[in-house]
Amino acid sequence: MPLAPVDEKGTQLYYEDSGAPVGSRDYKTLVMLHGGLFHGAIFKPLFPFAAKHNMRLVALNARDYHGSSPFSDSELAALDNPDLQSQQSVLRACGRELAAFLVWFIKHEQLPLVSGGGGRGGGISVLGWSFGSAFSMSFLAQAGVLSEKDRTVLGDYMQTVIILDPSRHPLGIPSDAPSEQLYDPLSDAALTPEQKQAAFSSWISGYYKHEPSFLDSLPTSSREQLTAGLPRDPQTEPSPTLTRMSAEELAGVTDPAALAHSTLAFTRVDPRVYEENMQAALWDKTIWPRLRIALVWCDASVGPTMLASWYLANMVVTRWPAQGRRVELVRFEGANHFPHWDKPEDMVRLLARIRPSTNNITPPSMPLAPVDDDGTQLYYEDTGAPENCPGYRTLVLVHGAIFNGATFKLMFPHAAKHGIRLVTVNMRDYRGSTPYTDADIEALGSGDPERQQSMIRARGLEIAAFLVWFIRKEDIPPYVVDGDRGGLSLLGWSWGNVVTMAFLAQASGLSEDDGRLLDGHLKSFVIFDSARQGLGVPAAVMEGLDSPGGGTDMPAESDERWLSWAVHHAHSKPVLDAFPLVTMNDMQAGVAHSSVANPLPQHKAAREHMVRELGEIIDPTVIERAQRLYLEVDTALYGHNVRGALLDASTWPCLQVYLVWCDASMPETVFSNWYLAKQTEENWPRDARSVKVVRFEDANHFPHWYQPEDTMALVASLV
């Protein structure tokens, strides 16, 4: 029986361990905390799938449960004492015991340190399921009182705290929450004690068909929508988990004696104690500021856990403190309250995809858009509809390589005065959005043009799905030509044009309904200072020019070399003025390969501001996975997408395309934009899309950061 000492009084916690994956030196360890009636064995179905995902799983039994030390009479008396401090003392002690276990296990098992460049490998994470999150919350809440030595050890190893389908207690949900409107068989006076027990098993482990609109907008739903969207009774199929388990299986994962001895006392603790615990854990990131929090909510779960997930998600989106920890919201589609029993392989796969970060980058609110049937989601930020502007226009912005959607945030305050709603979307692998699968990465790096093209086109279909979903969800006003009102435009910046071109290239292949919806909304397609991949520029054209991200010596996360692209270049004025009719020789002679030696004060200030915000606006770890592979794809594949997007105007023939080029940008982007602009001027097919070339004077590659108000005004004139 594996036992871990957690204090000097002889208290021990029992655990079960899947063991280290054979041959791995950077496996991730996940410690799992059970809830309520169940002990750690409820997680055992996950163990066979751990090694496949380079994970080591540890199921830990709380005090009183099978193998672990029981609570003393004095501790139980403190729990039942109406004095809040008395109750809090027991909860805090449980948090310190969990911290002691983690430190002991790290040292005892010599766990690998965080590795993998992006914090993806090694380290240790904690998962609390149902009531178990009360103890993980208490652990975080007690971080400040741990010894400096233990705090340092955990700071070197801690990756993520996962809140899995929580019950209401760990979050301290107040009494005025709508829990009293949700059915609970244990509170049903019409049932006998025997009937309550039977009904409870079906109720707690059933599969519920909640209102789809509520599920799609969980964080922003109202309490009224919550209670209206949660059915009382589960579906008949799939049948409830516990009703399918044998008597032997149930006996092997439950501990009724522990439930009666102490857990019921924990459920009677004043909600204010749990609320204080939750706030201490999540509202202050002073200790371990890079620690990531993930709320995994199961969208077919029972009403009270849906309430708890909604409560935290809504708080994160609407009233989260600025100093709070970053919380990612992860939807587990088709899962009930027992995914570790019914869907063990899917659950391990989902947990493996919750990747920790090295710079606390997950946004404080997590609006997520579903973009396929596999659970893929894209994180987005939205300024919302401008007030008193029913005919507002919507502009969706797609970021470039390494820099995520937060690079556009300085434009947000200037959008409403132009009657524009701005929406930024983070691509796959970028913070908040679903990571690529191993199969995706393998396809992109395969060298097989068909598999690579399939991977690239899939990104375009995700953009299409996002636009359709967002238009319907937000009831975006359609484009009205008479009066130039409403409508939606799409802008790709830098490398982001790879994705937007892949979207437009597949316009004719969308479903009839989706194509019709977009036809009624799409007004403009903006190519904004594109990188060469976005325009499919042949490598020979770019020979001798500096290529962003093309080197192998990638900067570290805090290295200012990431900002080597955010400088001004003083290219030849005659060449710029004659753009795009100049020859390639003129371009090669006229571009400045070095940045301006003495930048203007406002440009210097903008760069210094970017240095301070670097941790929020870049995702350098994406280089290690997909982004470098995108740079290695043959540009002929990108060129094929460009031709499909721009040379065929049979779908959405009225869509206006703008090519915006920044005349103080890097040589590569100036050259790339010249390459397309020259084609549109000299040999553009008559039946191709109309492309208007727009010069952005005195703008470098980041005008949305250096000149956000001017950039917003320019873009507003196009969309």
Side-chain angles (χ1 to χ4, degrees), residues 380-400:
Y380 66 96
E381 294 195 29
D382 174 18
T383 62
E387 292 185 5
N388 303 317
C389 187
Y392 68 85
R393 294 163 290 163
T394 301
L395 174 61
V396 176
L397 305 165
V398 178
H399 61 82

Side-chain angles (χ1 to χ4, degrees), residues 154-230:
L154 291 170
D156 289 339
Y157 279 86
M158 283 302 302
Q159 296 271 49
T160 311
V161 171
I162 299 169
I163 304 167
L164 173 63
D165 220 37
S167 63
R168 65 179 179 85
H169 303 92
L171 304 178
I173 297 179
S175 58
D176 65 343
S179 55
E180 69 277 359
Q181 301 175 42
L182 302 179
Y183 178 72
D184 182 343
L186 298 181
S187 304
D188 190 341
L191 300 179
T192 66
E194 293 75 17
Q195 290 173 327
K196 287 181 179 181
Q197 184 174 357
F200 177 80
S201 294
S202 296
W203 173 76
I204 192 68
S205 67
Y207 283 81
Y208 293 82
K209 188 174 180 60
H210 303 300
E211 180 62 39
S213 60
F214 163 68
L215 296 177
D216 290 341
S217 58
L218 178 83
T220 55
S221 294
S222 66
R223 293 188 178 187
E224 292 72 24
Q225 291 171 316
L226 169 75
T227 52
L230 300 180

Side-chain angles (χ1 to χ4, degrees), residues 34-39 61-66 70-71 76 79-80 129-132 135 167 169 186 196-197 200-201 204 242 253-268 274:
H34 60 86
L37 173 65
F38 303 87
H39 59 70
N61 278 8
R63 294 274 299 279
D64 256 5
Y65 285 80
H66 173 69
F71 284 106
L76 294 176
L79 278 178
D80 279 326
W129 167 62
S130 195
F131 181 80
F135 300 124
S167 63
H169 303 92
L186 298 181
K196 287 181 179 181
Q197 184 174 357
F200 177 80
S201 294
I204 192 68
L242 298 184
V253 299
T254 58
D255 198 336
L259 175 68
H261 189 241
S262 60
T263 301
L264 290 179
F266 273 105
T267 64
R268 292 191 294 268
Y274 288 114

